[in-house]
Every structure is written in structure tokens, then in C-alpha cells.
Amino acid sequence: MHFDEIIFEKKDRVATVTMNRPERMNAWTPKMGAEMRAAMMDAERDPSIGAIIVTGAGRAYCAGADMGALSNIAQGNTSARSAEVEDEWMNQQRADYRNRYSWPLALSTPVIGAINGACVGLGFTTCLYQDIRIASENARMGLIFTQRGLAIEHGSSWMLPRIIGLARATELAITGRLVDAKEALEIGLVNRVAPQDKLMSVAHEIASGIASKCSPLGVAQAKKMIYQHLFTDLATGVREDDASMEMMTRSEDFKEGVKAFVEKRAPKFTGR
């Protein structure tokens, strides 16, 4: 599979997608977005892959939408509206996941963002749809839209308050200011902060741990329940969690997990 604007690698049950326009600070283009989706869907369909890492080449993670695209929008030549993604797999997902940026929530495979530098605008927005975010000490993150004559985009007004709380989300959206890695960790925007030269090893440690120690079926169900119940009440969450747990107790992974624990060995999960 050939890509022009990303690098796609698979190793030790982990897929890594690297945005690869370092000379433009990995500014987002429609082609890059399409290539990232193709690579991540390839990883999703590969039973040997247990986790996906997304990062950027060079000194930036993603500096937002490419200025060429923004200029076209400013001149009225195209629209900034988020389109639904149409394919057989996506058509099976709930409507909330069928747009250009929210679809990673529907993946069974967990997505880990390794934020290696500037992560602003559209780059910031896409991070909100990742499951785990690890920032390097050099990371700077922010919405910046109000400083460009724009406002919040692509569902980040819905996701961000659920990640960092209403008051903090409102402040970041209105001021457009950047937060450094330390503040990002303090407000819950990222899960961990790592030294710049250790970022990828930390991300790989987390990804490899999921891929080697956790049931693929259990991981998929846990992720599904977490996001699905953003749209429901507590009673529904309890009922559906319990139904999911009942289903899991009939799985081969559950039997293997118990057997491995009793035998004091690492489990060999199959995702069944």
C-alpha cells in the first residue's frame, strides 16, 4: 500500500500512522486525511494488530488545516462543513460516527495519539477522537480558531467538554490560546507527558501492553460501551454493560483469561 503524505508501519502487533509533511508542520490536507483513514482501516481489519499509534514527522504533530485549503474556503471555493463518510463498514455504524473526523470512535482497535509538538486547529480537533493521548514535553495544543476569524469545528464543541469539562472547554474555545504539555495533563486533555526523546517508546509501551496483555474482544467492547453511553442515561448504561459482560463470559477470551491466571502464564487471546 503506497502513501504520499503519511508513513504506515506495522510492528509487534502495533500499527503506526505518521503524518509526513514535516516541511509544512504536517498541515492537514484532504489527501492526508484520506490516507490516514485508509491506513487505520487496514489496521482495524488486520487481526494481528492490537493498537494504532498516530503521530507526526519532524517537530510538529499537526499545525491544522493546510493554508491552501483555508484560502479556498475564505474565497468561497469550497465548504468547511464536515461530510459523512460513506462505505460499507461506516454505514453499519451509528450516525454520530459517520463524518470525516469522528469515525475513529467506531474502531474496535484503540487509537493512541503521540503528540510530538504543535497540535492546533484541525490537528487538535482530530486528537479529541483518539482514545488515549500522550504528549511530549514540547507539545503545544489549542483550538486557535477565534484568532483566525473562525469558531469551534467538527464536533469538538461536543467532545471537548466531555474530556476536560465545560468551563475549561469554553475558555479554550473562546480565547483560542495554546496550552503546554504540563497544563494539558493538569486539565485532563492528555493522559501522560513524556520527554521528547521518550515519547514514541512510551506510546509503544502502552500500545504493546494492550496488544499483548488484553483481550481484543474485551478492548473492543470496553471502547464501544464508553462511547456508546455518552449518548444514553445511567439506567441504559447499566443494562447494556451487564449485557456486554454476560456476552463476554461466554467468549473464548474469557475462558482463556481465567485459565491463564490459574496457570500463572500470559494469556493467548484470540478475540473470540
Side-chain angles (χ1 to χ4, degrees), residues 12 31 38 86 121-122 140 150 166 188 261:
D12 299 329
K31 182 175 184 179
E86 291 291 339
L122 184 53
R140 299 292 183 274
L150 296 169
L166 180 62
F261 178 79

Side-chain angles (χ1 to χ4, degrees), residues 13 205-216 219 257 266-269:
R13 300 202 63 208
E205 181 182 1
I206 296 170
S208 295
I210 295 169
S212 63
K213 298 177 183 178
C214 300
S215 155
V219 169
K268 298 178 181 178
F269 293 122

Side-chain angles (χ1 to χ4, degrees), residues 96-148:
D96 304 276
Y97 304 154
R98 292 184 203 150
N99 73 59
R100 198 182 307 162
Y101 304 104
S102 67
W103 60 267
L105 299 183
L107 296 176
S108 297
T109 311
V111 180
I112 300 169
I115 303 165
N116 55 300
C119 174
V120 300
L122 184 53
F124 182 99
T125 299
T126 61
C127 280
L128 301 181
Y129 296 110
Q130 296 167 346
D131 305 306
I132 299 171
R133 288 168 291 277
I134 312 300
S136 83
E137 293 174 333
N138 293 352
R140 299 292 183 274
M141 305 178 69
L143 289 164
I144 74 168
F145 296 112
T146 55
Q147 298 182 17
R148 302 291 185 273

Side-chain angles (χ1 to χ4, degrees), residues 194-240:
Q196 182 73 12
D197 61 347
K198 303 290 186 183
L199 175 66
M200 292 308 294
S201 63
V202 170
H204 275 284
E205 181 182 1
I206 296 170
S208 295
I210 295 169
S212 63
K213 298 177 183 178
C214 300
S215 155
L217 183 60
V219 169
Q221 281 297 116
K223 178 174 174 177
K224 178 181 178 181
M225 292 297 103
I226 287 287
Y227 293 129
Q228 182 170 297
H229 294 147
L230 291 176
F231 305 95
T232 63
D233 55 26
L234 175 57
T236 301
V238 171
R239 183 175 65 254
E240 293 183 350

Side-chain angles (χ1 to χ4, degrees), residues 84-94 98:
E84 288 192 349
V85 179
E86 291 291 339
D87 61 31
E88 183 178 353
W89 177 85
M90 188 56 73
N91 288 338
Q92 298 172 10
Q93 313 306 321
R94 63 180 300 136
R98 292 184 203 150

Side-chain angles (χ1 to χ4, degrees), residues 11-259:
K11 184 179 180 180
D12 299 329
R13 300 202 63 208
V14 175
T16 302
V17 179
T18 304
M19 292 173 278
N20 191 34
R21 302 182 73 221
E23 74 286 352
R24 300 299 300 272
M25 297 182 69
N26 302 316
W28 189 282
T29 68
K31 182 175 184 179
M32 176 186 282
E35 291 186 354
M36 290 182 70
R37 185 166 190 276
M40 292 169 72
M41 290 304 303
D42 178 271
E44 170 79 353
R45 295 180 176 117
D46 186 341
S48 73
I49 297 300
I52 301 168
I53 296 172
V54 178
T55 192
R59 62 191 178 92
Y61 177 82
C62 176
D66 185 86
M67 287 305 297
L70 291 179
S71 295
N72 284 333
I73 293 171
Q75 294 168 17
N77 297 327
T78 187
S79 171
R81 181 171 296 178
S82 178
E84 288 192 349
V85 179
E86 291 291 339
D87 61 31
E88 183 178 353
W89 177 85
M90 188 56 73
N91 288 338
Q92 298 172 10
Q93 313 306 321
R94 63 180 300 136
D96 304 276
Y97 304 154
R98 292 184 203 150
N99 73 59
R100 198 182 307 162
Y101 304 104
S102 67
W103 60 267
L105 299 183
L107 296 176
S108 297
T109 311
V111 180
I112 300 169
I115 303 165
N116 55 300
C119 174
V120 300
L122 184 53
F124 182 99
T125 299
T126 61
C127 280
L128 301 181
Y129 296 110
Q130 296 167 346
D131 305 306
I132 299 171
R133 288 168 291 277
I134 312 300
S136 83
E137 293 174 333
N138 293 352
R140 299 292 183 274
M141 305 178 69
L143 289 164
I144 74 168
F145 296 112
T146 55
Q147 298 182 17
R148 302 291 185 273
L150 296 169
I152 205 161
E153 64 169 0
H154 302 313
S156 49
S157 61
W158 194 89
M159 287 297 293
L160 189 60
R162 286 162 172 79
I163 295 171
I164 66 173
L166 180 62
R168 290 182 173 121
T170 303
E171 186 217 340
L172 293 188
I174 290 173
T175 65
R177 73 178 182 87
L178 302 184
V179 299
D180 60 19
K182 181 176 181 291
E183 184 177 0
L185 181 63
E186 289 173 350
I187 66 177
L189 183 56
V190 300
N191 300 78
R192 299 190 196 180
V193 172
Q196 182 73 12
D197 61 347
K198 303 290 186 183
L199 175 66
M200 292 308 294
S201 63
V202 170
H204 275 284
E205 181 182 1
I206 296 170
S208 295
I210 295 169
S212 63
K213 298 177 183 178
C214 300
S215 155
L217 183 60
V219 169
Q221 281 297 116
K223 178 174 174 177
K224 178 181 178 181
M225 292 297 103
I226 287 287
Y227 293 129
Q228 182 170 297
H229 294 147
L230 291 176
F231 305 95
T232 63
D233 55 26
L234 175 57
T236 301
V238 171
R239 183 175 65 254
E240 293 183 350
D241 278 356
D242 289 350
S244 174
M245 182 64 76
E246 174 63 24
M247 180 273 290
M248 289 295 301
T249 62
R250 299 191 298 273
S251 71
E252 293 300 319
D253 274 4
F254 172 67
K255 296 173 185 176
E256 169 61 12
V258 173
K259 186 177 180 181

